Amino acid sequence: MKRRTFVRASAFAGAGSLVAPGLVYGKRRADLVLRGATVFDGTGRAGREVDIGITGDRITDLGPKLAAGSNEIDLTGLALAPGFIDVHSHADMSLLVNNNAESRIRQGVTLEVVGQDGGSVGPWSDEGFESTRDRYRRQYNVEIDFRDPVGFLGRMDREGAAVNLATMVGNGALRGLVVGNEDRPATDAEIARMQALLRQQIEGGCVGLSSGLEYTPSGFADADELVALASVLQGTGYPYASHMRNEDDRLLGAVEEALHVVRVAGVPVQISHLKAQGQRNYWKADAALNLIERARAEGVDVHFDRYPYTAYSTGLSNLFPNAYRSGGNEAFLRRLRAPDTAARLERACRDKVALLGDWNSVQITSTNAATAYARGKLMGDLARDRGVEPYALTLELLEANGGGVGMIGHGMGEENTAKILAHPLGMVCSDGGIYAPYGPLSGGSPHPRGYGTFPRLLGHYVRDTGALTLESAIHKVTQMPAQKLKLGGRGVIEVGAFADLVAFDPSTVSDQATFEAPHQYPVGIPVVVVNGVVTLRDGEHTGQRGGRAARGHGTARKACASVCMCVCVCVAARRPLV
């Protein structure tokens, strides 16, 4: 289907107009006019042909046949949407290594929401700050001059990047600073300190709290502690975003826990990368969606997100139970060989692999230079080629890398993936980082979602399979996440909104990155504008960087002041919440 035919098929004759034409901001000539595209405004409405005038960093005019601008781009035959918002991103400090954000801007992403899975950029202790500073100096020649997410936002404003950046605060970062890496309950004093730190970060512009309950030390927090932290968000409208405690055999209990936390704390929730891992658990996707729908009907402000792939990405150490990773990597590595724990850890690991399918369901993504031979390889094939038993090779890789090995797990079903992506309460995320086929971010064999998430959504799931309509897919990556995070002026095309825009060809847009060869840019996205700055033109990066920190409104409640008395009493007494 030709691109104009496809766009017209997605449009809707007689759709409500975006805004009456006319220069709302006075008679000043627009800096940039985008002409001829079919404009999808992010609201879920069908597209219509309209010109867009941009002055400075804002959209200043919308209408047919606008007056000439200082600069113009003809987008005839293309679709034009608000810039895509990656509601669950791991771009974080990679933006300091390559602020052109190559693998992101070429996907049409204009805003990254980082600080996910409980692991924000600080707050750090003196030791944590010095360790991070030294590592970035040594590996990337990058200076770190901040200690917490608010400081990171300030650095982004000073340095700039090709994309905008918003951040949550990770409960794992808070716990690591206040409690440490041990598996034990936080004391009342420690909870109060974490609440105070969280409040400080929210007041400085962070947009929510995240947890990564399958990771350490985030997962050492019990439900009481999560409620106490989430309660700080009450009244702000910001969500608690949870990588839940389990995504396979105990998925439904994990969904219930996430919903319980926000019911008691009285805040919105964003369930991170919803999935049902392992074929024996595929049936649970419908049950999980039913739990979420029921909670929504009962008044819980609940949404979720998911990437458009059937494989996830994590650390190889996540093949082992969280409890055995208490105390950090050195303690975990000792337990792998210790007589009293080795057999239990091996059984747990083999059980996890069996859940996924077999050892070829595990693919290595990142290692140190000494074990680079493993990058991109499937563990079953790699073990066979090296004449080693797969579990023995797993231990060898973990020990050679100090526990820090990346992996991809091929463990989800295509039917469930399409269903979750299309669900009206679901958004679309990458859950990936920033990469480039050159320089320091070109190493390893990362999950292809870092290069291909949004083109794959538009190409495979909209055009090729019809799992979503074009206007619905655009809504899920624009206005929907902007509203969830209270980011005014983002995610929509309207007069006064920030000029974050992406033009793409619906008939050709496609991801090119694969699990075997991930470092490949997508096709079909020729133009991206960030805060009025043309950052991608004719499919090539201009070198211009219009991105900045996207801060929240900066209000948070005093610790415990926003929670009902029963919650305060239960948390203080360390009793279960009912």
Side-chain angles (χ1 to χ4, degrees), residues 129-142:
F129 166 72
E130 290 165 6
S131 173
T132 304
R133 180 197 60 194
D134 294 347
R135 179 162 56 90
Y136 272 75
R137 277 178 180 169
R138 183 176 63 256
Q139 292 185 353
Y140 304 116
N141 195 30
V142 168

Side-chain angles (χ1 to χ4, degrees), residues 262-263 266-268 292-302:
V262 298
R263 281 186 173 112
V267 300
I292 291 166
E293 290 165 2
R294 281 169 43 199
R296 183 75 178 187
E298 293 165 1
V300 178
D301 184 352
V302 54

Side-chain angles (χ1 to χ4, degrees), residues 31-53:
D31 296 333
L32 175 67
V33 174
L34 304 177
R35 296 194 186 278
T38 299
V39 175
F40 295 83
D41 65 2
T43 65
R45 290 196 292 254
R48 64 188 295 267
E49 290 188 14
V50 64
D51 296 344
I52 297 181

Side-chain angles (χ1 to χ4, degrees), residues 1 12 23 39 45 102 121 145 240 313 344-345 365 451:
M1 185 182 291
F12 184 88
L23 284 174
V39 175
R45 290 196 292 254
E102 292 275 19
V121 178
D145 58 355
Y240 163 60
S313 185
R344 277 177 285 166
L345 282 164
T365 59
Y451 282 91

Side-chain angles (χ1 to χ4, degrees), residues 147-503:
R147 290 172 176 262
D148 56 25
V150 170
F152 184 37
L153 291 174
R155 173 68 174 268
M156 295 308 303
D157 272 342
R158 295 192 300 275
E159 188 160 312
V163 293
N164 300 302
L165 180 133
T167 184
M168 292 189 168
V169 185
N171 87 301
L174 295 171
R175 198 171 218 275
L177 174 62
V178 175
V179 182
N181 212 29
E182 299 301 320
D183 185 2
R184 67 167 177 83
T187 66
D188 295 342
E190 288 168 338
I191 288 175
R193 186 179 174 206
M194 287 190 283
Q195 288 175 316
L197 288 167
L198 174 59
R199 190 182 326 110
Q200 181 184 57
Q201 298 302 306
I202 295 297
E203 290 173 348
C206 296
V207 294
L209 169 72
S210 77
S211 67
L213 302 180
E214 288 190 300
Y215 302 119
T216 64
S218 175
F220 298 148
D222 61 17
D224 291 1
E225 182 176 319
L226 295 171
V227 168
L229 290 179
S231 70
V232 175
L233 303 175
Q234 195 181 78
T236 68
Y238 296 140
Y240 163 60
S242 182
H243 174 142
M244 297 181 296
R245 211 172 291 276
N246 186 270
E247 297 177 319
D248 46 66
D249 289 346
R250 297 181 300 281
L251 168 64
L252 301 182
V255 173
E256 290 280 21
E257 181 189 39
L259 295 172
H260 165 78
V261 167
V262 298
R263 281 186 173 112
V264 178
V267 300
V269 62
Q270 181 80 6
I271 293 176
S272 298
H273 40 64
L274 181 66
K275 63 177 74 72
Q277 286 179 29
Q279 189 166 355
R280 70 190 185 212
N281 294 309
Y282 285 178
W283 67 272
K284 294 177 183 174
D286 284 332
L289 290 172
N290 184 53
L291 287 173
I292 291 166
E293 290 165 2
R294 281 169 43 199
R296 183 75 178 187
E298 293 165 1
V300 178
D301 184 352
V302 54
H303 292 86
F304 57 85
D305 50 63
R306 173 62 189 274
Y307 41 83
Y309 296 88
T310 58
Y312 64 92
S313 185
T314 187
L316 192 63
S317 62
N318 273 60
L319 293 177
F320 300 86
N322 208 24
Y324 291 95
R325 289 179 270 136
S326 173
N329 280 337
E330 289 185 11
F332 166 61
L333 293 174
R334 286 195 301 271
R335 292 183 187 113
L336 290 175
R337 301 288 189 182
D340 59 333
T341 54
R344 277 177 285 166
L345 282 164
E346 180 175 354
R347 282 196 302 272
C349 177
R350 291 186 184 278
D351 222 20
K352 181 73 170 182
V353 172
L355 166 74
L356 296 175
D358 56 31
W359 282 102
N360 271 352
S361 299
V362 178
Q363 184 175 6
I364 302 302
T365 59
S366 58
T367 68
N368 60 18
T371 52
Y373 64 81
R375 297 174 188 168
K377 302 294 177 59
L378 301 176
M379 280 291 285
D381 292 345
L382 180 63
R384 184 194 63 238
D385 293 345
R386 295 182 70 82
V388 181
E389 198 279 326
Y391 183 74
L393 181 58
T394 299
L395 298 190
E396 178 183 317
L397 289 173
L398 286 169
E399 290 169 341
N401 288 269
V405 180
M407 66 160 275
I408 287 169
H410 296 269
M412 287 90 78
E414 177 62 29
E415 182 181 348
N416 277 346
T417 298
K419 182 186 304 179
I420 290 169
L421 290 171
H423 194 280
L425 294 178
M427 304 178 204
V428 181
C429 70
S430 77
D431 193 17
I434 289 178
Y435 305 98
Y438 63 88
L441 300 184
S442 63
S445 184
H447 195 300
R449 63 195 183 186
Y451 282 91
T453 289
F454 298 91
R456 182 171 178 78
L457 172 71
L458 298 171
H460 180 67
Y461 286 100
V462 172
R463 181 187 62 238
D464 298 343
T465 70
L468 299 87
T469 66
L470 184 56
E471 49 266 42
S472 173
I474 290 170
H475 177 59
K476 286 170 173 287
V477 297
T478 57
Q479 188 189 52
M480 201 171 176
Q483 288 181 333
K484 187 73 176 184
L485 298 172
K486 311 301 179 188
L487 293 172
R490 306 281 181 187
V492 289
I493 294 177
E494 61 184 25
V495 170
F498 289 100
D500 294 340
L501 301 158
V502 53

